[in-house]
Amino acid sequence: METRRQRRKKKVRKGRVFIVLLLLLIVSAGAFAGTQYWLGTQMAADAEGLDYNFEDDFSGVASDNGKVNVLLIGVDSRGEEQSRSDTMMIAQWDGQDDEIKLVSLMRDIYVEIPGYQDYKLNTAFYLNGPELLRQTIKTNFGVDVQHYMLIDFSAFENMVDALAPNGIEIDVEKAMSEKIGVSLQPGQQTLNGKELLGYARFRADQEGDFGRVNRQQQVIEAVKDHALSISGVMNAPKLLGAAQPYIQTNMTNSEQIAILSRILLSGGGDIKRLTIPLDDAYSNGSYEGVGSVLELDWPANNAALQEFLE
């Protein structure tokens, strides 16, 4: 019959075995993540990457309600020192309610640009980078953002291929090929990085930029859903490695990891989407030297935006 001392020794041995196994698991996971990250950096080894030097520091402030607002700026630099922002979105993360909100701002909105003449919204970035774009959004829409993240579209396909080597499923609503570098057929499709980027950028139909913005939002949601799958989580370190040269932000590495970790651990939350201008709250206009613009019904659009982000 076992004595109390013998039972205690067995418990101690079992405890030690558990600790050793746990440490081995942690070390193995760290080694795997490190290897995946290195593989991602190799995918982008020849990338020139983003290297903008902006005159003004980004002066966004944290919101009073504890929600994190990030200005997502998509550019197609093609080696140019200056480029207009092709995509502008406000992404809001609410950690308490596990909720993500995404606001797309159409690039042709006619706005007041502080210190410059009135022009299209996407011109603000061209004139003086993220800080002027932040000021322009705050001046016209009454919304401030805490962080910005500049993403080069030329890297998008590498990032998707790192996250989802077998592609990401998208319901393609129509045949698409004009000016996107790929040919897509209607129906449920599994798209690689190049094809997914083409889908997100297509606008050669009656919907024009409005359809393009809607597809961009769909793509972000599809990528987010895949990132939260088991295979997506496994490939996340590789994605981070592949994306590094193509992302420029005022967020520290610890801030990026903290937000990403919170989203992953919470299950990612649903994405609520809004596009500005609203469907029936704008008109088409044109100005000499500016071209075609969107003239907003400012009270209607700003009321909807404030209510959406509150």
Side-chain angles (χ1 to χ4, degrees):
M1 188 172 184
E2 282 187 328
T3 65
R4 182 179 299 176
R5 184 175 181 181
Q6 287 173 325
R7 288 196 296 270
R8 189 182 303 119
K9 284 183 178 181
K10 281 188 176 181
K11 287 182 180 180
V12 170
R13 283 198 296 269
K14 288 180 180 178
R16 287 174 179 170
V17 170
F18 175 77
I19 292 173
V20 170
L21 289 175
L22 182 61
L23 288 174
L24 285 174
L25 180 62
I26 292 172
V27 171
S28 298
F32 174 80
T35 301
Q36 290 292 96
Y37 181 85
W38 179 82
L39 290 173
T41 62
Q42 296 309 296
M43 293 178 66
D46 297 327
E48 294 184 8
L50 291 173
D51 189 24
Y52 284 98
N53 292 312
F54 302 116
E55 292 182 12
D56 296 331
D57 293 333
F58 197 75
S59 301
V61 297
S63 60
D64 295 332
N65 56 18
K67 299 175 182 178
V68 180
N69 292 327
V70 182
L71 178 58
L72 304 178
I73 310 169
V75 296
D76 189 358
S77 61
R78 301 178 186 177
E80 300 172 359
E81 291 186 6
Q82 285 182 296
S83 61
R84 286 174 170 78
S85 45
D86 192 64
T87 297
M88 293 161 290
M89 296 181 178
I90 299 172
Q92 183 185 82
W93 165 245
D94 182 355
Q96 289 187 341
D97 295 336
D98 182 22
E99 191 173 65
I100 299 171
K101 294 180 179 179
L102 198 62
V103 181
S104 293
L105 302 173
M106 301 289 289
R107 60 185 183 178
D108 288 342
I109 296 173
Y110 193 59
V111 294
E112 174 188 347
I113 300 179
Y116 297 86
Q117 72 178 68
D118 294 358
Y119 219 92
K120 297 180 182 182
L121 180 60
N122 69 336
T123 304
F125 176 80
Y126 174 83
L127 292 171
N128 204 10
E131 172 59 13
L132 183 58
L133 180 55
R134 181 197 70 81
Q135 292 177 17
T136 301
I137 291 172
K138 185 176 181 181
T139 297
N140 291 271
F141 297 100
V143 174
D144 204 351
V145 291
Q146 182 178 357
H147 303 292
Y148 79 87
M149 185 169 286
L150 188 63
I151 305 171
D152 192 341
F153 280 154
S154 65
F156 181 82
E157 57 189 82
N158 278 348
M159 294 163 62
V160 170
D161 290 339
L163 178 68
N166 296 320
I168 289 179
E169 286 193 0
I170 285 285
D171 187 6
V172 180
E173 65 269 24
K174 64 184 72 175
M176 302 177 183
S177 60
E178 187 175 342
K179 297 180 180 179
I180 60 174
V182 294
S183 181
L184 304 178
Q185 299 303 315
Q188 195 75 20
Q189 307 288 344
T190 301
L191 306 182
N192 61 28
K194 184 176 182 179
E195 293 166 337
L196 196 62
L197 177 60
Y199 175 78
R201 303 196 74 179
F202 179 77
R203 59 183 179 127
D205 59 7
Q206 291 183 341
E207 293 181 298
D209 268 347
F210 286 90
R212 184 179 70 103
V213 163
N214 183 58
R215 281 184 285 275
Q216 288 174 350
Q217 293 179 343
Q218 290 177 357
V219 165
I220 287 177
E221 188 160 7
V223 171
K224 185 269 295 182
D225 288 343
H226 186 87
L228 294 173
S229 68
I230 293 176
S231 61
V233 171
M234 297 287 282
N235 285 317
K238 186 189 292 185
L239 169 65
L240 292 176
Q244 285 304 309
Y246 304 104
I247 294 178
Q248 193 166 331
T249 179
N250 71 320
M251 300 171 68
T252 64
N253 287 336
S254 59
E255 286 173 330
Q256 295 178 63
I257 293 172
I259 292 176
L260 180 61
S261 299
R262 286 170 59 193
I263 292 174
L264 290 175
L265 291 173
S266 66
D270 295 326
I271 294 183
K272 295 184 177 180
R273 300 183 291 177
L274 178 69
T275 297
I276 298 293
L278 305 176
D279 287 343
D280 299 319
Y282 74 95
S283 59
N284 294 306
S286 181
Y287 293 90
E288 185 177 354
V290 178
S292 299
V293 299
L294 300 174
E295 299 267 21
L296 267 60
D297 176 344
W298 287 103
N301 280 281
N302 281 349
L305 180 59
Q306 296 291 337
E307 180 180 358
F308 183 73
L309 292 177
E310 69 177 7

